Amino acid sequence: MNHLVFLPVLVPLLAGALLLLVRRALPLTVRRRLNLVAVLVQVAVALALLLQVTDGTVLVYQLGDWPAPYGIVLVADRLSAWMVLLTAVLALFALLYAIRGSDAGSRHFQPLFQLQLFGLSGAFLTGDLFNLFVFFEVLLLASYGLLLHGGGAQRTRAGLHFVVVNLVGSTLFLFAAGTLYGVAGTLNMADLAGKLATLDPADLGLARTGALLLFVVFALKAALFPFYLWLPTAYAATSAPVAALFAVMTKVGVYAILRVQTLWFDDPEGSLAGLLDPWLLPLALVTMALGSLGALASTRLRIQIGYLVLVSLGLLLTAIALGERDSIAAGLYYLAHTTLATGAFYLLAEGIARRRGSAGERLIDAPAMPHAGQIGALFFIVAILVAGLPPFSGFLGKFMVLRAALDTPAMAWILAVVLLSGLLAIVALARSGSLLLLRATPSEGLPPGAPGRGELAPASALLAVCLGLTLWAAPLTDFTRATAEQLLTPTHYIEAVLGTDMEGAGR
Amino acid sequence: MKRHLLPHPLLTPALTLIWLLLVNSLSFGQLLLGLLLGWLIPLFTLRFWPNRVQVHKPLTLVRFVLVLLYDIVIANLEVAWLILRGPRRVHPGFVEVPLALRSELGISLLANTISLTPGTVSAWLSPDRTTLVVHALDVRDPEALVATIKRRYETPLLEVLEPC
Amino acid sequence: MLECCDPINASHSQRLIMNLTLVVLVPFLGAALTGWVSRYGRLRSAWMAGAVTALALACLLPSLPVPFTGEPLIQRLPWMPGLGLDLVFRLDGLGLLFAMMILGIGLLVIIYARYYLDADDCMGRFYAYLLLFMGSMLGIVLAENLILLLMFWELTSLSSFLLISYWRHRQDARQGARMALTVTGLGGLALLGGFLLLGEIAGSYELSVILASGEAIRAHPLYSPMLVLVLLGAFTKSAQFPFHFWLPRAMAAPTPVSAYLHSATMVKAGIFLLARLFPALSGTPLWSVLVMSAGLATLLIGAWIALFKHDLKGLLAYSTVSHLGLITLLFGIGTPLAAVAGVFHIINHATFKASLFMAAGIIDHECGTRDMRRINGLWHFMPYTATLAMVASASMAGVPLFNGFLSKEMFFAEAANFFDLSTWSWVLPVTVVIASALAVAYSLRFIHDVFFNGEPHDLQRTPHEPPHWMKVPVEILVAICLLVGIFPGFTVEPLLAVAADSVLQCNSPAHDLAIWHGFNSAFAMSVIALLGGLLIYAARRPLFMIAARHEGLIDAGVLFGRTQQAVIGAARAVTTAFDTGSLQRLVALLLIGALGLGAVGLLGVSAPLTGTATLVPADGISLIVALGLGAGAIATTVLHRQRFTALIVVGVLGLLIALIFAKFSAPDLALTQLSVEVVTIVLLLLALYFLPQHTPAESSRVRRVRDLGLAAIAGLGTTALAWGILTRPGATISGYFLDNSVPGGGGSNVVNVILVDFRGFDTLGEITVLALAGLGIYAMLKGLRLPGMTLDPSGRPWNWDLHPTIMAALTRLLLPLALLVSAFIFLRGHNQPGGGFIAGLITAVALIMQYLTNGVEWTHRRLHGNMHPVIASGLLVGTLTGMASFVFGHPFLTSTFSHVHWPLVGDFELASAMAFDLGVYLVVVGSTLLILIHLGLMRSAATQERD
Amino acid sequence: MEALISILIGVLTACGVYLVLRARTFPVVMGLTLLSYGVNLFLFATGRLTIGQPAVISAQAPGYADPLPQALVLTAIVISFAMTAFVIMLSLKARAELGNDHVDGHADEEEHS
Amino acid sequence: MLEVILSALILLGALFTFIGSLGLARLEDFYTRLHGPTKATTLGVGSLLIASMVYFSTRGEGLSLHELLVTLFLFITAPVSAHLLAKAALHLRLRSLAVVPPRAEASAPQQANRDAPSDETVQR
Amino acid sequence: MLSTAVSIAFLLVGAAFVMALLRLLYGPDQPDRILALDTLYVNTVALLVLLGIHLGSALYFEAALLIAMMGFVGTVALCKYLLRGDIIE
Ligand code: NA
Ligand code: NA
């Protein structure tokens, strides 16, 4: 049994529990170092896992040694490993930022951070629908804790909204999972794939409802229109490292949509073939459009970033909705880009806000900031990344998605929305950039307590990773294309999970 | 030291007995387990229950319990009849029972006893714990009720818990 | 159609040396270097920028001869071959021409700017931006791949944004920069769309392929949208009407920037694109109509407005617009000769306009203003500069002996040829002549108004000749104007020919660059234009008055500003219309989405809702419980504004639910539900103390009706789902659990075995959630201060009795009993209803009971309040138990159990799952107590600060 | 019986939905509680209704209820308990930070009157 | 015979459970209603638990006495609940058919009792 | 005979439930409702015991035991709220 599949879940869980245990026993600096070591280990583990699955093997880990579909399995295919690595990398930089001081305000930052990673990795790796629910709850609750640390009316309100709407979402998840279990009698996602493909026509209505409700839940997590309203405020309300880590949280929803889309709804012979097709693309496009309008309308930088996240999510889901090998490959490349770039943007935004005195992140005039040159350059680069302008990964991803969209019937729509929302994003970022960085009243010097240049290092490093995404786009897109191929031929996944002699087992 | 190891000598066998009741078994293994728990739990709860309870006249206690059970049955029948006849026939009233019992546990047990027998509920204890106000469902003669309570319940409790 | 002769054989010559890549990359790297060296002295950055440009030129030199062989040089560095996107560069005549202009004029601008910039302007930043721009521009003209071209195209937009906003303290600079970025950004995105389509049509993004497949491209059904998108890109970049307005506003940039961007480079990128794709896209009616009309309109409008600009740079800017229109028009006409003329005018315009901008910069620099109404008679102050400027203006006006005349003659000839007696064909030559007359007029104005026309008005300082080296670039450019104008055959002809060849993708038609072609229609038009220009300038005063009256009537820039404001306003409106910051709306939208899609799922197919299973008959007690539950739920809803009352009813609901679980064979669930219920009630009560006791009636009627509707649909929907499932015979995987629970899991309570074994991982996640809730709440409590109610809800003081004696005394009695029960439930859980979770809750409740009845202080003296270690060790115990199986090479959480026989004691079963359950127990106890205790402590914390 | 349970699930859900849509935190918490009752009952119902056949293996048992949904409901109960606790706490925090218990933190007229 | 005893016990228990709730529903003020549940607790549930003990003890699987525990718990807790309810009702001054002793309704202990000897459970 | 007795008992306990539920809904005061809840706890114990006898299953015993305990805590907490507002102080 290859324990490597399990390690991305185990490492943060153990680390989280340990950090909780030593909360009072060890000084903060030691705990920070422990945390950092754990995340570094996590990155290494994720990398090792990715290398193991690059050749197309699907690694299955049967928890408790119970075979699927009876026990819970963790499944690492290219997609899962990609997501886990992405999470770990993002977490590393978010943590590097946090341990410079912003974690001190929280009573439980260290364990919550690790448990959030536990939830994220678990959600990406699990092959069981109900277990996915559990991990959703883990990562949500961890994120609530992280979101709410520190006070402030805005943060509390955003947190309340975020929590309540997600709780309603959790209820929906249970209704959906229950319905699918009621019809198909199983919870393993690979097993469900087989059962849902060969449904008794009489059960079709229920199964469709279950699947569509599940889609609603995932769409909520992915902040798809019309369920996106929670995102900008929630992301804007939290502290920078947490917001950066949140950048991967919506991707859990995206991941889940991609997973079920390819696993359940892609087989043209299956009973539920094309179930999401009428919805996913239009909603993705509307999300993109509204996101770009929101970005233009924002009066605060972090709200604006939130809306820009929506734009990127729209593009991402467009790529998934197209359902082609190339589009999914493009989407997966873009996913990595947008996650890291968004993370960097949030880290940078706090740096900017802290240098602007009382104006903070509000898009109004403020005294010129110290180190404006460095910040300006970083802002410029991150804006280019986020707006999808050349020459960086954002452009490449967008280009690839559009290229894949070309021979589809909705081409005109996709082109129109993507290009126009891109324009709006440019306008919005030019506006905020010139307000934040160009239009300054004379400098008042460093506000008291503001950090030095070193604070910008994690964001810079994340941008460097994005540059890496650009330079090594070819091998990366080779990988994402292989990932897409693997996703579009789910039989391998299903066989790996259920074993080949599936017919003999069970009932 | 002894007190530390076995804080409530009565509690251990009681808990062991209850354990055996719980598991519905008399096996030696369960007895051992019961003893273990009966020893561990008082150790843990020692701080919650500092004053040692001493039962002075076990026979009186047994008689008290039997009387109580008998009273419960009788009172049940009486009150059932009252209820079935209809609400117009009841004559409720509050009576004040002056207390001879001093300990918290004693007063509490008395109050519980009163409440357990249908027709009376101990409703209020004065702040100085000298008077227990009892609500009775159908009281024609308050003094008699108070006397009954003191005689049938308080006296045996006094004998068992506070003999001096 | 292209009257193409023998096409050039586009064989790709691969060279090992990647010098083209270097040409493009050197400025980028140089930009960083330049910015860096400026720390060590501002002038060093100027030297560095010059050196970088020279280096780039040097890199280009070895390849200079290649285009003249007639074959383009193509160099490829693989990047993303799978996407058809490589770092592939191409050097042909057109690219060479442009590269030379970019580098050559770039070098001159660098020299010029060294003297132009003030001491407090950050020079390093300026040169860094300039080099960024230069590299991007070189990338455009040398790119072989359209997507690569586009990337550099966008980089020019971005770097020009930086250059235009260089004086960031100036509002016009910021606005101009943003406007330029917006318009060119729009164009860039359109171009992306166009290139995507073009690549799709041609099957490749490489120019070699595209230029060779013009026929196929023009015949493709996607040709029209593609062309429109590409032209949109070209027109916005080249400031063609109606996108011309950004260019004059970009004049807020330092003049060297204008001299560079708006003569030879940035705006020429659009023209370059027209030339580049000319063989592939031109020759269709659509091309002609779009390109000609844009060119013509721009030519005329630009010239007209230029005449009336009082701002020196404004005049030059609109003149640029007009000349760009001219070149566009030439490509629109589409004949090979017109294309040659277009290429020629690109060169000529670059030289005279760059020199004019530089001259304007000198004037601005010396006078402190650019307002021609104040600047007069500079001839007396700076005769040398005046001479240079007048030569360049003459070239701009198309006066013979200057280079502008030559290309304008070719232009007139093409315009005249266009006239073929068809109904509207006269429009072109006539308009062209009018525009040229206007050009003559504004050139005249530039000369007369600035250098003559009386004395200057209130200038800040007395102007004089600038430093010598500031004039050198102008001298060089003016010299080129003259040399080309007089000796075209010796100077420009070879470069023009090779450039034209590559534009046409065939050997360009014979063209004679002589100054004198005889008395032909072109000459006549030239003469008319010159005379007309003189006339117009003579009549300038009434014309100025007319113009002043209509000023701002149709200002595309203002229109753009309004449009942008309108778009932002609309964006605000749309955004706030959706995002009202209302949770109720958020939840309602989620519910509407779920209900809608759920309905689609259920009603979208014709499947029966009711299944075929045999049903369980209802019995009386179930009916009563169900009725009670339903009534209770409704009562909670109806009474919800009386919060405490609603809370009591919720307690009943939990009890009845537990009863239903018990009734339908789920004792474990009943136990769990009961325990959770009580803890929840305690929790709600703790919270209610700090909240209003009543909910105000504040929902509007509409809102209530909407919510009732949603609620009703949700109720119907879930009823339907439940009914559908309950009436179907189930075929599930549960048989496996029943079969393997005892032999495989070592427990006969299958539910518990599932929880701690089959799906133990779920449970691990679940206790993590519980732990997280505890930690999250604890974290949230920090600094939280809330006043509780000082009076009870009916307005009376609270009861004096904190801890009623009877209650306190008896609940102490209960503690050992409850703990015993807890142990019982824990130990039997694997085989009978129970388990770690319920046991944990019982323990927690037993302890909470102590808090309830004896108070915090009393209990805290007896119970250590720090629950974090308990939670942590619970999590660790669970995890480590799971990890124990690693030792035996089994996966996480693999359970083991064995029956141990001890003498006397009997059979004991030891299962690893019990250890796991212990972890569950600890987390439950720890978290529950952590939550409740700290919530209960909140009021005491409000008065005295604790941890 | 199936109809009874189905309707019950519907009623609980409907009441939960209505309360979740209220403007004050406390009713929302109550609504979430009712919703969790509804969904737990639903999840439980996916194992179909069986009377008197708990999934405790014994020789005499005539049959067994589907244990899996029960286990799922158990997990769901615990999770929703944790979540409820969290929301309750959050509503207190909101009350402290926002000065009232409106879910959006609006101070409204009725609060003053 | 066993069946008869069982049936009688069951019926008795159910009957008293019912009467208790009937009292709760029928009686006219809170204090009198408070007496109802005592019936359900004591004789009602008591009889049923005895019935259960008898029933499970006579099925050949050994003695079943753990029902006694339920009784024990109920007998400790039910009176305390009743006491607290009455205390709350007095505090809230609910309508009473009987005359309420004035000091039992007081929100604060009367002055005379302030100095009464008390240990930790009494108001400071 | 036993099953008849159990059936009648179910009816009686069911009727008891109805009574308590009515009191719960009708009130009129909060102590009335708490009392109704308390009564329902006791009635539930009765019902579970009956159910155990009816189904011949001892698996309901723990539930009955737990109700005796949990019901008490619930009632105490609710009463304490009425008396003091702050239930843990
Ligand atoms: Na009584
Ligand atoms: Na003038």
Side-chain angles (χ1 to χ4, degrees), chain F residues 15-74:
Chain F
F17 260 86
V18 174
M19 302 288 163
L21 282 169
L22 284 177
R23 180 52 72 197
L24 175 83
L25 298 180
Y26 181 71
D29 295 305
Q30 282 155 349
D32 285 301
R33 295 203 165 92
I34 303 175
L35 179 62
L37 172 64
D38 196 50
T39 312
L40 278 171
Y41 278 123
V42 177
N43 289 354
T44 306
V45 173
L47 194 59
L48 286 174
V49 174
L50 267 180
L51 209 59
I53 297 172
H54 175 64
L55 297 171
S57 164
L59 295 172
Y60 299 97
F61 158 71
E62 289 80 17
L65 189 65
L66 220 58
I67 289 174
M69 213 172 103
M70 297 296 173
F72 170 67
V73 177

Side-chain angles (χ1 to χ4, degrees), chain C residues 697-891:
Chain C
E698 57 190 346
S699 298
S700 68
R701 194 183 172 79
V702 178
R703 170 68 60 86
R704 281 204 306 275
V705 169
R706 180 198 80 177
D707 294 349
L708 276 175
L710 278 177
I713 298 170
L716 280 176
T718 46
T719 302
L721 274 187
W723 173 251
I725 288 169
L726 280 172
T727 53
R728 279 170 167 72
T732 71
I733 53 173
S734 57
Y736 183 88
F737 302 118
L738 297 168
D739 295 341
N740 288 282
S741 181
V742 174
S748 54
N749 180 4
V750 188
V751 176
N752 184 269
V753 176
I754 291 177
L755 283 173
V756 296
D757 199 338
F758 292 112
R759 299 184 66 93
F761 198 50
D762 268 351
T763 309
L764 193 61
E766 166 202 318
I767 59 173
T768 310
V769 167
L770 203 55
L772 280 169
L775 302 189
I777 288 172
Y778 179 76
M780 248 197 291
L781 277 162
K782 187 181 179 188
L784 187 58
R785 299 287 173 267
L786 262 179
M789 296 177 289
T790 44
L791 297 175
D792 81 356
S794 47
R796 267 187 291 270
W798 292 112
N799 194 280
W800 55 270
D801 202 353
L802 267 85
H803 309 297
T805 314
I806 294 170
M807 170 179 86
L810 286 171
T811 45
R812 282 175 226 169
L813 245 172
L814 279 176
L815 183 63
L817 278 182
L819 291 180
L820 194 71
V821 171
S822 174
F824 168 68
I825 293 279
F826 178 84
L827 286 173
R828 74 200 296 268
H830 213 43
N831 293 309
Q832 296 286 310
F837 182 76
I838 303 165
L841 274 181
I842 294 173
T843 305
V845 167
L847 291 171
I848 289 164
M849 199 151 62
Q850 304 308 311
Y851 280 94
L852 274 176
T853 54
N854 296 306
V856 169
E857 272 180 48
W858 187 92
T859 316
H860 257 282
R861 262 180 270 134
R862 289 154 179 84
L863 181 71
H864 192 51
N866 184 10
M867 286 296 150
H868 297 91
V870 179
I871 299 174
S873 29
L875 276 180
L876 276 178
V877 166
T879 313
L880 294 175
T881 310
M883 284 169 69
S885 45
F886 288 173
V887 180
F888 308 99
H890 290 295

Side-chain angles (χ1 to χ4, degrees), chain A residues 32-313:
Chain A
R32 280 173 173 165
R33 251 173 247 158
L34 272 177
N35 202 343
L36 192 60
V37 167
V39 174
L40 282 170
V41 171
Q42 177 80 346
V43 172
V45 162
L47 207 58
L49 184 63
L50 188 78
L51 290 178
Q52 283 226 349
V53 298
T54 308
D55 61 354
T57 31
V58 177
L59 294 176
V60 177
Y61 191 78
Q62 298 178 337
L63 286 152
D65 221 3
W66 297 107
Y70 311 109
I72 294 171
V73 288
L74 297 185
V75 191
D77 61 350
R78 290 187 180 116
L79 175 63
S80 299
W82 179 241
M83 300 304 295
V84 168
L85 179 61
L86 185 62
T87 308
V89 169
L90 184 66
L92 176 62
F93 293 105
L95 185 67
L96 280 173
Y97 183 94
I99 58 177
R100 295 186 61 86
S102 56
D103 59 345
S106 164
R107 277 175 157 176
H108 282 307
F109 181 87
Q110 317 292 343
L112 284 178
F113 189 88
Q114 286 295 338
L115 292 178
Q116 164 93 317
L117 281 188
F118 168 63
L120 285 165
S121 303
F124 289 134
L125 284 171
T126 187
D128 186 279
L129 188 59
F130 191 80
N131 196 239
L132 180 65
F133 165 77
V134 173
F135 275 110
F136 268 14
E137 302 305 299
V138 170
L139 75 91
L140 279 175
L141 202 40
S143 68
Y144 301 158
L146 287 170
L147 170 71
L148 284 160
H149 86 69
Q154 202 181 25
R155 184 170 291 185
T156 306
R157 177 168 45 231
L160 183 71
H161 290 194
F162 180 55
V163 172
V164 170
V165 81
N166 271 304
L167 285 187
V168 178
S170 303
T171 309
L172 274 178
F173 196 138
L174 289 178
F175 271 116
T179 308
L180 290 177
Y181 180 79
V183 173
T186 184
L187 290 166
N188 183 284
M189 298 208 280
D191 197 25
L192 272 170
K195 298 268 166 42
L196 292 178
T198 55
L199 274 177
D200 181 348
D203 294 342
L204 206 53
L206 289 175
R208 281 163 49 100
T209 307
L212 283 171
L213 287 181
L214 204 57
F215 169 64
V216 171
V217 179
F218 296 158
L220 171 71
K221 311 282 174 194
L224 196 60
F225 174 85
F227 317 123
Y228 67 99
L229 293 172
W230 59 269
L231 187 140
T233 39
Y235 280 30
T238 182
S239 68
V242 176
L245 191 57
F246 274 22
V248 84
M249 267 194 9
T250 42
K251 309 306 183 292
V252 178
V254 174
Y255 162 84
I257 290 176
L258 178 58
R259 182 62 85 195
V260 297
Q261 166 82 338
T262 52
L263 201 53
W264 295 351
F265 309 131
D266 211 43
D267 177 10
E269 310 289 311
S271 320
L272 297 183
L275 185 64
L276 303 186
D277 290 356
W279 310 103
L280 197 49
L281 186 59
L283 293 181
L285 291 179
V286 175
T287 308
M288 217 186 308
L290 287 175
S292 56
L293 288 176
L296 196 58
S298 308
T299 53
R300 287 170 50 208
L301 177 60
R302 288 167 55 142
I303 295 275
Q304 186 174 57
I305 304 175
Y307 276 108
L308 289 170
V309 169
L310 290 177
V311 177
S312 72
L313 285 167

